[in-house]
Amino acid sequence: EAQVTQNPRYLITVTGKKLTVTCSQNMNHEYMSWYRQDPGLGLRQIYYSMNVEVTDKGDVPEGYKVSRKEKRNFPLILESPSPNQTSLYFCASSLDRTEAFFGQGTRLTVV
Amino acid sequence: QKEVEQNSGPLSVPEGAIASLNCTYSDRGSQSFFWYRQYSGKSPELIMSIYSNGDKEDGRFTAQLNKASQYVSLLIRDSQPSDSATYLCADWMDSSYKLIFGSGTRLLVRP
């Protein structure tokens, strides 16, 4: 089954404790991206990647890191999480400029 | 001006009516547009994609694209209570190679 898999689905952590949210897709898509969704603000792009070793900043990259060492994986790293990063996070993948497929989401709470 | 704009709603329609959702975009070079449906706390789900001017129909859904006026719309015929959700418009930005989402329109279908 074609899918985008994120883990974990829910995460509560403390300020400053590094964490990684994983994202994996099995559709051989070149394009992958991370979004955060907050009430009233819609989906905002954090980082995106056009292919292996090619990443670029989205609209809200501060406080986040990404890497794309393999085509299927695109982890999101929070080196020192802060409460303002409490949000619902989505990973998505697509072929070049076609419809994007989303993971199930990760609800992150930073206390 | 936001890159992709939608009225936040809520748009309330009676069951069986036609719901009309609209979206405007700023990048004249954009070629690919998508409508997603999102239930609260869930990931966005693709409804329609449209790439050329005119109408595209799929079951109860019709997407309309007008590149000259830079707007894209979604019509939902015979609206059902299960259509109650937030509808997101998305646009592949030609200028920046990013998939950008509007903030979404909340649709309520009254039984």
Side-chain angles (χ1 to χ4, degrees):
Chain A
E1 181 189 353
Q3 59 186 5
V4 179
T5 304
Q6 285 179 238
N7 280 297
R9 294 288 310 279
Y10 302 92
L11 179 60
I12 301 174
T13 190
V14 296
T15 299
K17 185 176 181 182
K18 181 180 178 179
L19 66 93
T20 299
V21 185
T22 64
C23 175
S24 180
Q25 51 93 4
N26 62 1
M27 295 170 279
N28 203 36
H29 286 167
E30 293 92 4
Y31 189 93
M32 297 185 75
S33 59
W34 277 102
Y35 296 87
R36 62 178 288 175
Q37 189 171 39
D38 304 288
L41 296 177
L43 280 165
R44 293 182 292 168
Q45 194 173 48
I46 303 170
Y47 269 96
Y48 64 97
S49 169
M50 290 176 280
N51 215 322
V52 175
E53 303 292 3
V54 182
T55 63
D56 206 348
K57 296 177 181 178
D59 295 319
V60 287
E62 294 77 21
Y64 304 94
K65 284 177 56 177
V66 293
S67 68
R68 187 92 181 271
K69 293 183 170 49
E70 306 166 279
K71 198 171 189 179
R72 63 184 291 124
N73 295 323
F74 190 45
L76 179 69
I77 302 158
L78 285 72
E79 295 267 0
S80 182
S82 63
N84 65 11
Q85 292 179 297
T86 292
S87 188
L88 179 58
Y89 290 87
F90 290 105
C91 177
S93 76
S94 65
L95 291 173
D96 187 7
R97 298 179 191 266
T98 62
E99 52 268 16
F101 295 88
F102 284 82
Q104 317 95 305
T106 296
R107 188 168 291 280
L108 172 66
T109 301
V110 183
V111 298
Chain B
Q1 182 190 3
K2 287 186 181 178
E3 292 158 328
V4 180
E5 290 210 60
Q6 296 180 253
N7 188 318
S8 61
L11 172 66
S12 180
V13 301
E15 184 174 355
I18 296 175
S20 177
L21 304 160
N22 300 305
C23 170
T24 59
Y25 61 93
S26 61
D27 189 340
R28 284 199 167 273
S30 294
Q31 301 291 325
S32 312
F33 302 90
F34 308 91
W35 282 100
Y36 287 81
R37 177 176 63 198
Q38 187 179 28
Y39 296 109
S40 182
K42 303 295 186 183
S43 57
E45 169 194 12
L46 181 71
I47 300 287
M48 295 279 288
S49 58
I50 187 165
Y51 300 92
S52 55
N53 270 334
D55 296 1
K56 179 182 177 183
E57 188 174 317
D58 184 1
R60 295 187 297 113
F61 300 96
T62 298
Q64 300 172 318
L65 174 59
N66 184 321
K67 290 187 178 180
S69 300
Q70 293 178 244
Y71 82 78
V72 58
S73 62
L74 179 70
L75 301 178
I76 306 174
R77 289 180 298 281
D78 188 24
S79 295
Q80 301 297 308
S82 58
D83 294 326
S84 297
T86 296
Y87 289 79
L88 303 166
C89 172
D91 164 25
W92 273 104
M93 301 289 290
D94 181 62
S95 57
S96 62
Y97 210 105
K98 294 195 290 187
L99 179 60
I100 301 297
F101 286 79
S103 56
T105 299
R106 195 157 67 96
L107 173 66
L108 298 174
V109 181
R110 309 186 303 271

